[in-house]
């Protein structure tokens, strides 16, 4: 028997579900991701595979021939067989605290590699709570019970504008789910910031969005605005090698219209592949459409083309051209000719 990882082919999206995933990944963030503070709090049962796997990166893997003392090792959340009401559990459930409070636009309930042990149907409830949900918590159904396919990404769109702090994923009657993505938009309470405080407007947890990049061959565009410093070279935005002068670029929608008073460009872990130079521009726009060069004439310089260094956090203050009375909604980071940036921080004030 082979023991290679992913010896069985993954089921990939196509058609309308693929377009829905692209929409979510372009215009939303994963509010439940462990990287932004999402956490599985409790579940009815995770006998075969732990609930914490639900929020991991990727789609989950399969290792042929790998077993634990409880059965087949699976990269997801898997409960024991409950047979419906026979043992007192009508269904299995898992409560997730969102890393970012926000409006939910859709779900990806991925049963990758759960072929003969996927649930028959699922539903999702949500609540707003300042404490860990308990027996008195009032849950609201936001995805009614619906069938799911085994070994598949099951995509669902949500069309309501309520903000939530927690969700409860239910599967009927039992089974396994590899990953759970909660796509949405951050709902930031600006009263949590004191008057005059510099706010990182390019931070995903404050509501920033990485909209469009020229290239993300090696890593995802959203890494640029994630919490903390990158943990390794894969935890950044890195492009493939260009054979022309460049640049590569990334457009970020700021969390709020605001001034730009402090900028950090971090090349953490990028030692032999950091960009030679960078440039930062900004604009004011009520549109997020930058395809095919749209709105190109609106960009104005914030930091002129400037040298970068390997594995370093670069701080820019006096180099910023606009004064603190100017406000912007979007920024564009250009890197020459290519390379990798771990994080971009754009600090400013809101209220314009």
């Amino acid at each position: 028997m082979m023991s290679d990882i992913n010896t069985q082919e993954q089921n990939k999206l196509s058609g309308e579900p693929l377009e829905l995933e692209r929409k979510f990944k372009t215009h939303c963030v994963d509010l439940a991701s462990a990287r932004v503070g999402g956490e599985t709090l409790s579940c009815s049962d995770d006998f075969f595979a732990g609930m914490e796997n639900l929020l991991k990166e990727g789609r989950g893997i399969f290792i042929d021939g790998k077993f634990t003392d409880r059965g087949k090792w699976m990269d997801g959340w898997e409960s024991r067989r409950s047979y419906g009401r026979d043992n007192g559990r009508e269904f299995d459930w898992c409560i997730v605290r969102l890393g970012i409070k926000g409006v939910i636009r859709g779900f990806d309930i991925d049963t990758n590699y759960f072929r003969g042990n996927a649930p028959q149907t699922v539903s999702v409830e949500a609540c707003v709570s300042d404490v860990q949900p308990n027996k008195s918590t009032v849950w609201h159904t936001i995805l009614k019970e619906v069938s799911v396919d085994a070994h598949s990404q099951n995509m669902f769109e949500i069309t309501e504008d309520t903000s939530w702090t927690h969700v409860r994923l239910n599967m009927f009657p039992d089974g396994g789910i590899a990953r759970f993505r909660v796509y949405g938009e951050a709902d930031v309470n600006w009263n949590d910031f004191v008057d005059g405080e510099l706010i990182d407007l390019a931070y995903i947890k404050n509501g920033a969005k990485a909209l469009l990049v020229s290239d993300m061959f090696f890593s995802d565009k959203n890494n640029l605005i994630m919490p903390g410093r990158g943990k390794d070279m894969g935890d950044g935005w890195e492009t493939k090698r260009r054979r022309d002068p460049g640049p590569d670029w990334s457009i970020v929608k700021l969390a709020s219209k605001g001034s730009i008073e402090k900028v950090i460009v971090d090349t953490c872990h990028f030692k032999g592949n950091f960009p030679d130079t960078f440039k930062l521009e900004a604009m004011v726009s009520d549109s997020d459409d930058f395809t095919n060069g749209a709105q190109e004439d609106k960009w104005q310089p914030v930091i002129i083309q400037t040298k970068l260094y390997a594995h370093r956090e670069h701080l820019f203050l006096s180099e910023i051209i606009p004064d603190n009375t100017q406000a912007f909604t979007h920024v564009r980071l250009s890197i020459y000719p290519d390379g990798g940036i771990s994080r971009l921080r754009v600090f400013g004030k809101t209220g314009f």
Side-chain angles (χ1 to χ4, degrees):
M1 181 178 293
M2 297 181 65
S3 59
D4 293 337
I5 294 176
N6 289 348
T7 55
Q8 303 182 49
E9 185 179 356
Q10 289 195 6
N11 187 347
K12 297 182 180 179
L13 289 174
S14 61
E16 186 175 341
L18 177 60
E19 290 304 310
L20 191 56
E21 183 189 48
R22 287 174 177 167
K23 177 182 176 181
F24 290 155
K25 288 188 173 182
T26 299
H27 300 288
C28 303
V29 299
D30 182 2
L31 304 174
S33 169
R35 296 187 65 195
V36 300
E39 180 184 6
T40 50
L41 297 178
S42 60
C43 68
S44 57
D45 182 89
D46 58 355
F47 183 86
F48 287 114
M51 61 181 178
E52 63 275 4
N53 294 327
L54 280 173
L55 308 184
K56 288 182 178 179
E57 298 178 48
R59 290 198 58 203
I61 62 173
F62 184 88
I63 303 179
D64 200 8
K66 182 175 181 178
F67 288 82
T68 73
D69 60 357
R70 293 194 172 190
K72 180 71 183 74
W73 179 91
M74 295 297 290
D75 187 14
W77 165 48
E78 185 180 3
S79 67
R80 75 191 83 194
R81 301 190 189 208
S82 69
Y83 306 104
R85 293 182 173 84
D86 290 354
N87 70 347
R89 292 202 330 268
E90 295 184 33
F91 59 90
D92 280 306
W93 52 264
C94 180
I95 295 175
V96 176
R97 182 181 67 84
L98 300 180
I100 305 172
K101 179 184 179 181
V103 178
I104 295 172
R105 299 302 184 193
F107 299 109
D108 178 358
I109 300 175
D110 190 355
T111 57
N112 200 36
Y113 294 117
F114 287 91
R115 298 172 183 269
N117 47 355
Q120 183 176 8
T121 60
V122 298
S123 70
V124 181
E125 300 164 287
C127 73
V128 176
S129 179
D130 292 329
V131 299
Q132 188 159 317
N134 51 47
K135 291 182 179 180
S136 63
T137 299
V138 177
W139 292 96
H140 303 268
T141 299
I142 55 175
L143 177 66
K144 294 181 180 179
E145 188 175 346
V146 61
S147 297
V148 290
D149 294 325
H151 186 51
S152 301
Q153 286 178 265
N154 297 273
M155 309 297 297
F156 303 100
E157 189 166 21
I158 306 299
T159 56
E160 63 168 66
D161 293 323
T162 306
S163 291
W164 308 102
T165 60
H166 299 74
V167 293
R168 183 165 65 182
L169 172 63
N170 305 313
M171 57 181 181
F172 303 82
D174 50 41
I177 295 171
R179 297 291 188 267
F180 181 43
R181 308 297 181 213
V182 182
Y183 290 109
E185 300 166 354
D187 180 15
V188 180
N189 183 358
W190 297 107
N191 292 324
D192 291 339
F193 300 93
V194 300
D195 290 344
E197 179 179 356
L198 286 180
I199 301 168
D200 184 359
L201 301 175
Y203 184 36
I204 195 168
K205 294 192 71 167
N206 287 342
K209 299 178 186 177
L211 295 178
L212 191 66
V213 293
S214 58
D215 176 85
M216 52 178 179
F217 186 86
F218 289 110
S219 47
D220 189 81
K221 60 184 171 58
N222 285 303
N223 290 341
L224 200 61
I225 59 175
M226 283 289 174
R229 298 191 77 191
K231 68 180 187 296
D232 53 38
M233 203 171 70
D235 186 15
W237 167 55
E238 184 183 2
T239 69
K240 59 177 167 287
R241 300 188 189 211
R242 299 181 70 101
R243 300 309 179 194
D244 59 45
D248 280 313
W249 48 264
S250 175
I251 297 174
V252 174
K253 181 177 183 179
L254 299 178
S256 175
K257 185 178 181 180
S259 61
I260 298 177
E261 302 183 36
K262 175 181 173 181
V263 172
I264 293 174
V265 178
D266 191 356
T267 57
C268 185
H269 301 295
F270 291 96
K271 299 176 181 179
N273 51 355
F274 63 95
D276 181 49
T277 59
F278 87 100
K279 178 174 67 177
L280 188 68
E281 300 164 288
M283 73 159 67
V284 177
S285 177
D286 58 5
S287 171
D288 293 340
D289 183 10
F290 295 92
T291 56
N292 302 315
Q295 308 190 77
E296 184 65 27
D297 60 330
K298 293 183 180 180
W299 293 111
Q300 67 177 81
V302 174
I303 300 174
I304 64 172
Q305 193 168 341
T306 301
K307 178 69 177 173
L308 289 173
Y309 298 91
H311 190 53
R312 184 180 301 182
E313 196 172 62
H314 305 75
L315 171 64
F316 302 96
L317 294 167
S318 61
E319 297 87 351
I320 296 171
I321 297 170
D323 62 37
N324 60 12
T325 64
Q326 291 183 265
F328 303 95
T329 58
H330 299 75
V331 295
R332 178 169 68 180
L333 173 69
S334 298
I335 54 175
Y336 297 82
D338 53 33
I341 300 286
S342 177
R343 296 291 188 271
L344 171 68
R345 306 295 186 207
V346 179
F347 293 91
K349 298 186 181 76
T350 62
F352 288 85

